[in-house]
Amino acid sequence: MSKPKTPVEVLDLIAKEKIEVIDLRFMDFPGLWQHFSVPARELDEAAFESGVGFDGSSIRGWQAINESDMLVKPVAESAFIDPFFTANTLVLICNICDPVTGEDYTRDPRNIARKAANYLKSSGIADVGYFGPEAEFFIFDDIRFDQNEHEGYYHIDSAEGRWNTGRVENPNLGYKPRYKEGYFPVPPTDSLQDIRSEMMLTLEKIGVLIEAQHHEVATGGQAEIDMRFAPLVEMADNVLKYKYVIKNTARKYNKTVTFMPKPLFNDNGTGMHTHISLWKGDQNLFAGDGYAGLSEMALYAIGGILKHTPSLLAFTSPTTNSYKRLVPGFEAPVNLAYSSRNRSAAVRIPMYSPSAKAKRIEFRCPDPSCNPYLAFSALLMAVIDGIQNKIDPGEPLDKDIYDLPPEELAKVPHTPGSLREALEALDADHDYLLKGDVFTSDVIETWISYKMECEVQAIDLRPHPWEFALYYDI
Protein backbone atom coordinates (compact mmCIF):
# COMPACT_ATOMS: atom_id res chain seq x y z
CA MET A 1 0.00 0.00 0.00
CA SER A 2 1.51 3.33 -1.06
CA LYS A 3 1.54 6.03 1.59
CA PRO A 4 -1.03 8.82 0.96
CA LYS A 5 0.38 12.32 0.67
CA THR A 6 -2.69 14.48 0.01
CA PRO A 7 -6.25 14.72 1.38
CA VAL A 8 -7.58 13.30 -1.90
CA GLU A 9 -5.29 10.28 -1.60
CA VAL A 10 -6.44 9.76 2.00
CA LEU A 11 -10.09 9.80 0.88
CA ASP A 12 -9.24 7.34 -1.91
CA LEU A 13 -7.59 5.07 0.68
CA ILE A 14 -10.69 5.27 2.89
CA ALA A 15 -12.87 4.13 -0.01
CA LYS A 16 -10.46 1.43 -1.21
CA GLU A 17 -9.89 -0.12 2.23
CA LYS A 18 -13.55 0.28 3.30
CA ILE A 19 -12.53 2.34 6.34
CA GLU A 20 -15.34 2.71 8.90
CA VAL A 21 -13.75 4.92 11.56
CA ILE A 22 -11.33 7.85 11.52
CA ASP A 23 -9.18 8.12 14.67
CA LEU A 24 -7.77 11.64 15.17
CA ARG A 25 -4.65 11.72 17.35
CA PHE A 26 -2.58 14.50 18.88
CA MET A 27 0.02 14.97 21.62
CA ASP A 28 -0.73 16.53 24.98
CA PHE A 29 1.81 18.82 26.63
CA PRO A 30 3.60 16.38 28.98
CA GLY A 31 3.78 13.63 26.36
CA LEU A 32 0.82 11.24 26.05
CA TRP A 33 -0.98 10.54 22.77
CA GLN A 34 -4.66 11.55 22.89
CA HIS A 35 -7.45 10.67 20.45
CA PHE A 36 -11.09 10.78 19.50
CA SER A 37 -12.91 9.05 16.66
CA VAL A 38 -15.50 10.02 14.04
CA PRO A 39 -17.38 7.97 11.44
CA ALA A 40 -15.49 7.81 8.15
CA ARG A 41 -18.24 9.77 6.35
CA GLU A 42 -17.46 12.80 8.56
CA LEU A 43 -14.06 13.27 6.97
CA ASP A 44 -14.02 15.25 3.74
CA GLU A 45 -11.39 17.26 1.92
CA ALA A 46 -12.41 20.46 3.69
CA ALA A 47 -11.71 18.95 7.14
CA PHE A 48 -7.98 18.93 6.39
CA GLU A 49 -8.10 22.70 5.97
CA SER A 50 -10.84 23.79 8.39
CA GLY A 51 -10.18 21.20 11.10
CA VAL A 52 -12.44 19.39 13.55
CA GLY A 53 -13.44 21.00 16.84
CA PHE A 54 -12.87 19.60 20.34
CA ASP A 55 -12.65 20.76 23.98
CA GLY A 56 -9.04 21.53 24.89
CA SER A 57 -9.64 22.51 28.53
CA SER A 58 -9.15 18.99 29.88
CA ILE A 59 -5.84 18.40 28.07
CA ARG A 60 -2.92 18.64 30.49
CA GLY A 61 -1.08 21.97 30.27
CA TRP A 62 -3.44 23.46 27.67
CA GLN A 63 -6.33 25.93 27.52
CA ALA A 64 -8.25 27.34 30.46
CA ILE A 65 -11.93 26.39 30.78
CA ASN A 66 -13.06 29.81 29.51
CA GLU A 67 -11.12 29.42 26.23
CA SER A 68 -11.52 25.69 25.71
CA ASP A 69 -12.53 25.36 22.04
CA MET A 70 -9.74 24.12 19.77
CA LEU A 71 -9.29 22.52 16.35
CA VAL A 72 -7.44 19.41 15.21
CA LYS A 73 -6.22 19.56 11.62
CA PRO A 74 -5.42 16.10 10.18
CA VAL A 75 -2.05 15.64 8.44
CA ALA A 76 -2.63 13.62 5.27
CA GLU A 77 0.83 12.04 5.04
CA SER A 78 0.53 10.71 8.63
CA ALA A 79 -2.28 8.27 7.75
CA PHE A 80 -2.02 4.59 8.67
CA ILE A 81 -4.50 1.78 9.28
CA ASP A 82 -4.71 0.87 12.95
CA PRO A 83 -3.47 -2.71 13.53
CA PHE A 84 -5.44 -3.31 16.76
CA PHE A 85 -9.00 -1.95 16.55
CA THR A 86 -11.88 -4.28 15.66
CA ALA A 87 -13.51 -1.75 13.33
CA ASN A 88 -11.52 -0.90 10.20
CA THR A 89 -9.90 2.33 11.41
CA LEU A 90 -7.66 4.91 9.76
CA VAL A 91 -5.43 6.94 12.09
CA LEU A 92 -4.55 10.55 11.27
CA ILE A 93 -2.05 12.53 13.35
CA CYS A 94 -3.20 16.12 13.79
CA ASN A 95 -1.88 19.61 14.37
CA ILE A 96 -3.67 21.85 16.87
CA CYS A 97 -5.04 25.27 15.92
CA ASP A 98 -6.87 28.15 17.58
CA PRO A 99 -10.45 28.28 16.22
CA VAL A 100 -10.65 32.10 16.41
CA THR A 101 -7.33 33.12 14.84
CA GLY A 102 -6.73 29.93 12.85
CA GLU A 103 -3.08 30.02 13.98
CA ASP A 104 -1.09 27.01 15.13
CA TYR A 105 -1.36 26.58 18.89
CA THR A 106 1.94 27.51 20.56
CA ARG A 107 1.65 24.79 23.22
CA ASP A 108 1.06 22.03 20.66
CA PRO A 109 4.27 19.95 20.86
CA ARG A 110 4.03 18.97 17.19
CA ASN A 111 3.85 22.63 16.23
CA ILE A 112 7.05 23.29 18.19
CA ALA A 113 8.78 20.45 16.33
CA ARG A 114 7.63 21.80 12.96
CA LYS A 115 8.99 25.24 13.88
CA ALA A 116 12.34 23.74 14.93
CA ALA A 117 12.70 21.91 11.60
CA ASN A 118 11.80 25.08 9.70
CA TYR A 119 14.21 27.17 11.77
CA LEU A 120 17.09 24.85 10.89
CA LYS A 121 16.34 25.25 7.20
CA SER A 122 15.90 29.03 7.41
CA SER A 123 19.22 29.34 9.26
CA GLY A 124 21.05 28.13 6.16
CA ILE A 125 23.04 25.64 8.25
CA ALA A 126 21.36 22.54 6.83
CA ASP A 127 18.30 21.34 4.96
CA VAL A 128 17.32 18.63 7.43
CA GLY A 129 18.21 17.20 10.81
CA TYR A 130 17.96 13.44 11.15
CA PHE A 131 17.15 11.79 14.47
CA GLY A 132 17.58 8.14 15.40
CA PRO A 133 16.40 7.32 18.95
CA GLU A 134 17.09 3.93 20.55
CA ALA A 135 14.10 3.61 22.86
CA GLU A 136 14.30 0.86 25.46
CA PHE A 137 11.43 -0.54 27.54
CA PHE A 138 10.44 -3.32 29.95
CA ILE A 139 7.87 -6.04 29.27
CA PHE A 140 6.40 -7.13 32.62
CA ASP A 141 3.77 -9.73 33.54
CA ASP A 142 2.23 -7.79 36.41
CA ILE A 143 2.41 -4.35 37.98
CA ARG A 144 0.61 -3.15 41.10
CA PHE A 145 1.13 0.23 42.77
CA ASP A 146 -0.70 2.58 45.11
CA GLN A 147 -0.07 5.52 47.41
CA ASN A 148 -2.47 7.00 49.91
CA GLU A 149 -2.36 8.61 53.34
CA HIS A 150 -1.20 5.50 55.22
CA GLU A 151 0.62 3.29 52.69
CA GLY A 152 2.67 3.38 49.52
CA TYR A 153 4.04 0.51 47.46
CA TYR A 154 4.76 -0.92 44.04
CA HIS A 155 5.06 -4.56 43.05
CA ILE A 156 6.58 -5.62 39.72
CA ASP A 157 6.67 -9.16 38.43
CA SER A 158 8.12 -10.88 35.40
CA ALA A 159 8.45 -14.57 34.60
CA GLU A 160 11.91 -13.57 33.33
CA GLY A 161 12.89 -11.76 36.53
CA ARG A 162 16.01 -13.09 38.22
CA TRP A 163 14.23 -12.65 41.56
CA ASN A 164 11.96 -15.56 40.57
CA THR A 165 14.62 -18.28 40.34
CA GLY A 166 13.30 -19.76 43.60
CA ARG A 167 9.59 -19.38 42.93
CA VAL A 168 7.34 -22.45 42.67
CA GLU A 169 6.20 -22.40 39.03
CA ASN A 170 5.34 -26.08 38.50
CA PRO A 171 7.92 -26.31 36.99
CA ASN A 172 10.36 -23.43 37.34
CA LEU A 173 12.73 -23.94 34.39
CA GLY A 174 15.35 -21.56 35.71
CA TYR A 175 16.14 -19.66 32.49
CA LYS A 176 16.03 -16.13 33.85
CA PRO A 177 18.62 -13.50 32.83
CA ARG A 178 21.05 -12.57 35.59
CA TYR A 179 21.05 -8.96 36.77
CA LYS A 180 22.91 -6.82 34.20
CA GLU A 181 23.40 -9.89 31.93
CA GLY A 182 20.34 -9.71 29.67
CA TYR A 183 22.36 -8.42 26.67
CA PHE A 184 21.67 -10.75 24.85
CA PRO A 185 21.54 -14.55 25.24
CA VAL A 186 19.45 -16.67 22.86
CA PRO A 187 16.22 -18.39 23.96
CA PRO A 188 15.18 -19.99 26.24
CA THR A 189 16.87 -17.38 28.48
CA ASP A 190 15.45 -14.71 26.16
CA SER A 191 11.76 -15.61 26.44
CA LEU A 192 10.41 -12.59 24.55
CA GLN A 193 11.79 -13.07 21.04
CA ASP A 194 8.42 -13.80 19.43
CA ILE A 195 6.66 -10.85 21.07
CA ARG A 196 9.43 -8.44 20.05
CA SER A 197 9.34 -9.80 16.49
CA GLU A 198 5.59 -9.22 16.33
CA MET A 199 6.13 -5.67 17.60
CA MET A 200 8.82 -5.13 14.96
CA LEU A 201 6.74 -6.50 12.08
CA THR A 202 3.63 -4.57 13.16
CA LEU A 203 5.65 -1.35 13.18
CA GLU A 204 6.93 -2.14 9.69
CA LYS A 205 3.36 -2.70 8.47
CA ILE A 206 2.33 0.80 9.55
CA GLY A 207 5.37 2.39 7.92
CA VAL A 208 7.89 2.61 10.78
CA LEU A 209 11.14 1.13 9.45
CA ILE A 210 13.05 -1.03 11.95
CA GLU A 211 16.74 -1.89 11.95
CA ALA A 212 16.96 -4.44 14.79
CA GLN A 213 15.27 -5.85 17.89
CA HIS A 214 16.90 -7.52 20.89
CA HIS A 215 16.84 -8.15 24.62
CA GLU A 216 18.50 -5.44 26.69
CA VAL A 217 20.90 -5.58 29.65
CA ALA A 218 18.49 -5.80 32.59
CA THR A 219 16.65 -8.87 33.79
CA GLY A 220 12.85 -8.95 33.89
CA GLY A 221 12.12 -8.34 30.20
CA GLN A 222 14.12 -5.27 29.20
CA ALA A 223 14.04 -4.81 25.41
CA GLU A 224 15.01 -2.52 22.56
CA ILE A 225 13.68 -2.12 19.02
CA ASP A 226 15.69 0.30 16.88
CA MET A 227 13.97 2.53 14.34
CA ARG A 228 15.70 3.78 11.19
CA PHE A 229 16.58 7.47 11.41
CA ALA A 230 14.17 10.07 10.00
CA PRO A 231 13.66 13.87 9.94
CA LEU A 232 12.67 15.46 13.26
CA VAL A 233 8.87 15.68 12.96
CA GLU A 234 8.52 12.32 11.24
CA MET A 235 10.68 10.66 13.88
CA ALA A 236 8.69 12.19 16.74
CA ASP A 237 5.52 10.85 15.06
CA ASN A 238 7.24 7.47 14.79
CA VAL A 239 8.11 7.42 18.50
CA LEU A 240 4.41 7.74 19.30
CA LYS A 241 3.53 4.94 16.86
CA TYR A 242 6.34 2.90 18.43
CA LYS A 243 5.00 3.25 21.97
CA TYR A 244 1.45 2.56 20.81
CA VAL A 245 2.34 -0.63 18.93
CA ILE A 246 4.63 -1.97 21.66
CA LYS A 247 2.12 -1.41 24.48
CA ASN A 248 -0.81 -2.87 22.56
CA THR A 249 1.11 -5.89 21.24
CA ALA A 250 2.16 -6.70 24.81
CA ARG A 251 -1.45 -6.31 25.96
CA LYS A 252 -2.52 -8.98 23.43
CA TYR A 253 -0.36 -11.43 25.41
CA ASN A 254 -1.64 -10.21 28.78
CA LYS A 255 1.67 -8.45 29.43
CA THR A 256 2.38 -4.81 30.19
CA VAL A 257 5.05 -2.44 28.90
CA THR A 258 6.59 0.53 30.68
CA PHE A 259 8.88 3.24 29.33
CA MET A 260 9.76 4.41 32.87
CA PRO A 261 13.49 5.14 33.01
CA LYS A 262 14.17 3.17 36.23
CA PRO A 263 11.47 0.71 37.26
CA LEU A 264 13.90 -1.82 38.83
CA PHE A 265 16.30 -1.08 41.69
CA ASN A 266 19.93 -2.08 41.20
CA ASP A 267 19.72 -3.07 37.52
CA ASN A 268 20.14 -1.05 34.34
CA GLY A 269 17.59 1.62 33.57
CA THR A 270 15.82 2.42 30.34
CA GLY A 271 17.34 5.06 28.06
CA MET A 272 16.72 6.52 24.63
CA HIS A 273 20.15 7.25 23.18
CA THR A 274 19.47 9.71 20.36
CA HIS A 275 21.60 9.89 17.20
CA ILE A 276 21.73 13.21 15.32
CA SER A 277 23.16 14.34 11.99
CA LEU A 278 22.63 17.39 9.78
CA TRP A 279 22.46 17.15 5.99
CA LYS A 280 22.45 19.56 3.04
CA GLY A 281 21.32 17.80 -0.10
CA ASP A 282 23.07 14.42 -0.12
CA GLN A 283 25.99 15.65 2.02
CA ASN A 284 26.34 14.62 5.65
CA LEU A 285 27.61 17.83 7.30
CA PHE A 286 28.85 15.97 10.38
CA ALA A 287 31.42 13.88 8.46
CA GLY A 288 34.95 15.26 8.30
CA ASP A 289 38.60 14.68 9.16
CA GLY A 290 38.50 15.80 12.79
CA TYR A 291 38.25 13.73 15.97
CA ALA A 292 36.54 10.36 15.32
CA GLY A 293 35.87 11.38 11.71
CA LEU A 294 33.78 14.41 12.64
CA SER A 295 33.59 17.76 10.89
CA GLU A 296 34.22 21.07 12.64
CA MET A 297 30.45 21.68 12.47
CA ALA A 298 29.79 18.44 14.34
CA LEU A 299 32.25 19.39 17.08
CA TYR A 300 30.53 22.76 17.48
CA ALA A 301 27.19 20.89 17.65
CA ILE A 302 28.62 18.79 20.49
CA GLY A 303 29.76 22.01 22.18
CA GLY A 304 26.19 23.32 22.03
CA ILE A 305 24.76 20.13 23.49
CA LEU A 306 27.28 19.95 26.33
CA LYS A 307 26.85 23.64 27.19
CA HIS A 308 23.08 23.29 27.41
CA THR A 309 22.77 19.71 28.75
CA PRO A 310 21.56 20.75 32.24
CA SER A 311 18.62 22.66 30.73
CA LEU A 312 18.11 20.17 27.88
CA LEU A 313 17.48 17.44 30.43
CA ALA A 314 14.30 19.21 31.53
CA PHE A 315 12.88 18.02 28.18
CA THR A 316 14.94 14.92 27.35
CA SER A 317 14.89 13.37 30.86
CA PRO A 318 11.73 15.00 32.18
CA THR A 319 10.59 12.82 35.10
CA THR A 320 11.70 12.50 38.70
CA ASN A 321 12.36 8.83 37.90
CA SER A 322 14.78 9.84 35.11
CA TYR A 323 17.40 10.83 37.71
CA LYS A 324 17.36 7.38 39.30
CA ARG A 325 18.73 6.18 35.93
CA LEU A 326 21.29 8.98 35.59
CA VAL A 327 23.63 7.68 38.30
CA PRO A 328 27.13 6.17 38.00
CA GLY A 329 27.59 2.42 37.59
CA PHE A 330 24.81 1.44 35.17
CA GLU A 331 26.30 2.56 31.83
CA ALA A 332 24.54 5.85 32.53
CA PRO A 333 25.80 8.99 30.72
CA VAL A 334 26.41 11.21 33.73
CA ASN A 335 29.58 13.00 32.54
CA LEU A 336 29.27 16.18 30.47
CA ALA A 337 31.95 15.17 28.00
CA TYR A 338 32.23 13.53 24.57
CA SER A 339 34.05 10.40 23.49
CA SER A 340 34.21 7.79 20.76
CA ARG A 341 34.68 5.07 23.37
CA ASN A 342 33.31 6.08 26.74
CA ARG A 343 29.68 5.12 27.24
CA SER A 344 29.41 7.15 30.44
CA ALA A 345 30.01 10.34 28.42
CA ALA A 346 26.91 12.38 27.60
CA VAL A 347 27.87 12.49 23.90
CA ARG A 348 29.36 9.51 22.10
CA ILE A 349 30.53 9.19 18.49
CA PRO A 350 29.52 5.75 17.18
CA MET A 351 32.34 4.05 15.28
CA TYR A 352 30.41 1.09 13.81
CA SER A 353 30.88 2.18 10.20
CA PRO A 354 33.69 4.02 8.36
CA SER A 355 31.17 5.47 5.88
CA ALA A 356 30.84 9.26 5.87
CA LYS A 357 27.08 8.85 5.43
CA ALA A 358 26.88 7.00 8.76
CA LYS A 359 28.70 9.68 10.75
CA ARG A 360 26.60 11.15 13.54
CA ILE A 361 26.70 12.12 17.20
CA GLU A 362 24.82 10.25 19.92
CA PHE A 363 23.35 12.05 22.92
CA ARG A 364 22.97 9.38 25.58
CA CYS A 365 21.09 11.23 28.33
CA PRO A 366 17.49 11.12 26.98
CA ASP A 367 15.00 8.50 28.08
CA PRO A 368 11.68 7.44 26.53
CA SER A 369 9.54 9.13 29.18
CA CYS A 370 10.09 12.34 27.21
CA ASN A 371 7.73 14.10 24.83
CA PRO A 372 9.70 13.41 21.61
CA TYR A 373 8.50 16.57 19.83
CA LEU A 374 9.87 18.75 22.63
CA ALA A 375 12.99 16.68 23.31
CA PHE A 376 14.15 16.53 19.67
CA SER A 377 13.32 20.21 19.14
CA ALA A 378 15.32 21.27 22.20
CA LEU A 379 18.24 19.11 21.07
CA LEU A 380 18.20 20.62 17.59
CA MET A 381 18.15 24.14 19.03
CA ALA A 382 21.20 23.33 21.18
CA VAL A 383 22.98 21.95 18.11
CA ILE A 384 22.16 25.09 16.11
CA ASP A 385 23.33 27.32 18.97
CA GLY A 386 26.62 25.43 19.14
CA ILE A 387 27.19 25.82 15.39
CA GLN A 388 26.17 29.48 15.22
CA ASN A 389 28.36 30.46 18.17
CA LYS A 390 31.21 28.03 17.39
CA ILE A 391 31.11 26.57 20.89
CA ASP A 392 34.27 24.56 21.58
CA PRO A 393 33.46 21.19 23.21
CA GLY A 394 36.94 20.93 24.72
CA GLU A 395 39.02 17.76 24.64
CA PRO A 396 37.37 14.33 24.37
CA LEU A 397 37.25 12.10 27.43
CA ASP A 398 38.57 8.74 26.22
CA LYS A 399 39.99 7.56 29.54
CA ASP A 400 38.18 5.05 31.75
CA ILE A 401 36.08 7.29 34.00
CA TYR A 402 36.23 4.82 36.86
CA ASP A 403 40.05 4.81 36.84
CA LEU A 404 40.42 8.58 36.92
CA PRO A 405 42.07 9.98 40.07
CA PRO A 406 39.61 11.98 42.23
CA GLU A 407 41.23 15.34 41.42
CA GLU A 408 40.85 14.72 37.66
CA LEU A 409 37.30 13.37 37.96
CA ALA A 410 36.32 16.46 39.94
CA LYS A 411 37.04 18.58 36.85
CA VAL A 412 34.46 16.69 34.74
CA PRO A 413 31.03 18.35 35.06
CA HIS A 414 28.04 16.09 35.67
CA THR A 415 24.39 15.93 34.70
CA PRO A 416 21.84 17.41 37.13
CA GLY A 417 21.01 15.14 40.06
CA SER A 418 17.26 15.70 40.02
CA LEU A 419 14.38 16.99 37.92
CA ARG A 420 14.26 20.05 40.17
CA GLU A 421 17.87 20.87 39.24
CA ALA A 422 17.15 20.39 35.52
CA LEU A 423 14.07 22.66 35.68
CA GLU A 424 16.09 25.31 37.53
CA ALA A 425 18.74 25.03 34.81
CA LEU A 426 16.03 25.48 32.16
CA ASP A 427 14.75 28.57 33.96
CA ALA A 428 18.28 30.04 33.90
CA ASP A 429 19.27 28.89 30.39
CA HIS A 430 16.59 28.92 27.69
CA ASP A 431 17.37 31.84 25.36
CA TYR A 432 18.71 29.39 22.75
CA LEU A 433 15.27 27.72 22.68
CA LEU A 434 13.47 31.01 21.96
CA LYS A 435 15.28 31.67 18.67
CA GLY A 436 12.97 31.68 15.67
CA ASP A 437 10.01 31.59 18.08
CA VAL A 438 10.45 27.80 18.21
CA PHE A 439 9.78 27.62 21.93
CA THR A 440 7.92 30.57 23.43
CA SER A 441 8.38 32.03 26.90
CA ASP A 442 4.87 30.79 27.68
CA VAL A 443 5.84 27.21 26.75
CA ILE A 444 8.98 27.34 28.94
CA GLU A 445 7.12 28.85 31.89
CA THR A 446 4.22 26.41 31.59
CA TRP A 447 6.56 23.41 31.34
CA ILE A 448 8.50 24.45 34.45
CA SER A 449 5.42 25.24 36.53
CA TYR A 450 3.58 22.06 35.45
CA LYS A 451 6.56 19.81 36.18
CA MET A 452 7.32 21.49 39.51
CA GLU A 453 3.75 21.42 40.79
CA CYS A 454 2.51 18.09 39.40
CA GLU A 455 5.68 16.02 39.70
CA VAL A 456 8.57 17.46 41.75
CA GLN A 457 6.48 18.82 44.62
CA ALA A 458 4.09 15.88 44.49
CA ILE A 459 6.99 13.48 45.03
CA ASP A 460 8.53 15.70 47.72
CA LEU A 461 5.31 15.51 49.76
CA ARG A 462 5.16 11.73 49.96
CA PRO A 463 7.13 9.45 52.31
CA HIS A 464 9.38 6.95 50.52
CA PRO A 465 9.26 3.27 51.59
CA TRP A 466 13.02 3.22 52.15
CA GLU A 467 12.70 6.11 54.59
CA PHE A 468 10.94 3.69 56.96
CA ALA A 469 13.91 1.32 56.76
CA LEU A 470 16.27 4.20 57.48
CA TYR A 471 14.38 6.16 60.10
CA TYR A 472 11.46 4.29 61.67
CA ASP A 473 13.38 3.30 64.81
CA ILE A 474 14.97 6.70 65.38
Side-chain angles (χ1 to χ4, degrees):
M1 182 184 70
S2 61
K3 191 174 179 180
K5 294 183 175 64
T6 66
V8 171
E9 289 176 351
V10 170
L11 297 174
D12 288 344
L13 178 64
I14 289 170
K16 180 181 176 183
E17 299 293 331
K18 296 182 171 56
I19 298 295
E20 302 170 279
V21 177
I22 306 298
D23 200 50
L24 302 170
R25 299 191 187 176
F26 57 94
M27 192 63 149
D28 75 3
F29 199 53
L32 280 179
W33 230 5
Q34 309 288 334
H35 79 133
F36 65 94
S37 300
V38 299
R41 59 175 164 73
E42 289 293 310
L43 189 74
D44 56 21
E45 196 172 347
F48 289 86
E49 184 62 34
S50 58
V52 179
F54 76 105
D55 178 4
S57 64
S58 296
I59 305 300
R60 300 179 300 169
W62 278 12
Q63 300 283 58
I65 193 71
N66 62 325
E67 49 183 18
S68 58
D69 291 342
M70 306 196 78
L71 295 174
V72 293
K73 287 190 178 181
V75 178
E77 58 266 30
S78 73
F80 66 94
I81 295 174
D82 188 278
F84 301 105
F85 291 152
T86 302
N88 204 10
T89 302
L90 187 76
V91 176
L92 286 165
I93 298 174
C94 301
N95 297 321
I96 307 301
C97 299
D98 185 292
V100 177
T101 65
E103 294 179 354
D104 293 324
Y105 184 43
T106 56
R107 292 189 198 172
D108 172 19
R110 196 172 192 274
N111 175 36
I112 293 169
R114 290 157 59 214
K115 288 193 290 182
N118 290 335
Y119 179 66
L120 172 67
K121 197 165 186 177
S122 69
S123 72
I125 292 171
D127 297 331
V128 62
Y130 285 108
F131 286 75
E134 300 174 355
E136 300 167 345
F137 53 95
F138 278 89
I139 305 172
F140 293 138
D141 291 297
D142 189 60
I143 174 70
R144 291 181 285 119
F145 52 88
D146 199 7
Q147 175 103 44
N148 52 47
E149 284 72 16
H150 73 283
E151 63 181 355
Y153 67 89
Y154 66 89
H155 180 83
I156 295 167
D157 206 7
S158 165
E160 243 195 36
R162 188 68 180 177
W163 58 87
N164 280 324
T165 54
R167 183 170 70 175
V168 176
E169 295 183 349
N170 299 312
N172 187 326
L173 301 179
Y175 294 111
K176 303 178 192 298
R178 297 176 184 87
Y179 295 106
K180 297 189 181 185
E181 292 187 23
Y183 191 85
F184 26 48
V186 298
T189 303
D190 176 4
S191 67
L192 299 166
Q193 168 71 15
D194 288 341
I195 291 178
R196 291 197 311 272
S197 288
E198 184 171 335
M199 293 169 174
M200 175 177 71
L201 295 173
T202 303
L203 284 163
E204 289 256 323
K205 285 176 184 175
I206 66 168
V208 180
L209 298 180
I210 302 298
E211 294 186 338
Q213 63 93 344
H214 57 82
H215 204 287
E216 256 299 336
V217 173
T219 190
Q222 193 180 34
E224 179 176 314
I225 301 175
D226 295 329
M227 293 174 279
R228 182 170 296 175
F229 65 88
L232 190 157
V233 179
E234 180 183 345
M235 180 49 76
D237 288 344
N238 285 349
V239 170
L240 302 190
K241 296 175 187 177
Y242 178 94
K243 286 187 171 186
Y244 178 73
V245 165
I246 285 169
K247 287 179 179 179
N248 282 282
T249 303
R251 192 174 185 272
K252 281 176 57 179
Y253 293 91
N254 210 27
K255 295 181 183 291
T256 179
V257 159
T258 183
F259 289 91
M260 271 182 71
K262 190 76 170 184
L264 297 182
F265 167 64
N266 219 25
D267 208 340
N268 278 36
T270 287
M272 191 177 76
H273 306 152
T274 300
H275 299 251
I276 309 164
S277 61
L278 300 186
W279 289 66
K280 185 169 279 191
D282 61 356
Q283 181 187 3
N284 182 355
L285 301 177
F286 278 7
D289 56 7
Y291 173 79
L294 293 178
S295 65
E296 186 178 54
M297 178 186 285
L299 290 169
Y300 290 147
I302 292 171
I305 290 174
L306 293 178
K307 176 183 177 181
H308 297 299
T309 291
S311 60
L312 278 174
L313 261 58
F315 290 112
T316 67
S317 308
T319 67
T320 58
N321 187 250
S322 299
Y323 298 86
K324 293 177 170 60
R325 167 184 169 255
L326 293 174
V327 294
F330 297 88
E331 292 188 18
V334 295
N335 299 289
L336 298 187
Y338 69 103
S339 175
S340 63
R341 303 174 185 174
N342 206 318
R343 290 177 182 266
S344 66
V347 177
R348 191 174 77 93
I349 298 90
M351 302 298 289
Y352 301 122
S353 171
S355 168
K357 289 188 177 297
K359 190 56 61 180
R360 72 264 192 200
I361 60 178
E362 175 192 7
F363 187 46
R364 295 175 62 82
C365 296
D367 66 62
S369 69
C370 71
N371 182 327
Y373 296 111
L374 301 182
F376 298 160
S377 298
L379 257 174
L380 182 61
M381 296 305 288
V383 163
I384 293 171
D385 189 60
I387 294 167
Q388 288 177 332
N389 291 294
K390 298 184 177 180
I391 297 174
D392 184 356
E395 293 299 313
L397 185 63
D398 288 334
K399 299 176 183 178
D400 186 338
I401 290 284
Y402 304 110
D403 286 342
L404 285 181
E407 61 274 12
E408 198 170 338
L409 184 61
K411 297 176 183 176
V412 181
H414 293 87
T415 52
S418 67
L419 179 58
R420 180 187 292 277
E421 287 182 33
L423 292 169
E424 289 171 349
L426 177 63
D427 189 38
D429 173 33
H430 60 257
D431 286 350
Y432 69 102
L433 298 171
L434 302 178
K435 292 178 182 177
D437 199 38
V438 173
F439 288 77
T440 62
S441 295
D442 170 69
V443 164
I444 302 293
E445 291 163 8
T446 303
W447 184 262
I448 293 171
S449 63
Y450 179 91
K451 286 283 175 178
M452 280 289 193
E453 180 181 345
C454 299
E455 298 179 31
V456 172
Q457 293 168 9
I459 289 291
D460 287 347
L461 286 170
R462 287 162 170 79
H464 189 285
W466 193 244
E467 289 177 317
F468 288 85
L470 292 173
Y471 309 129
Y472 186 78
D473 59 349
I474 287 177

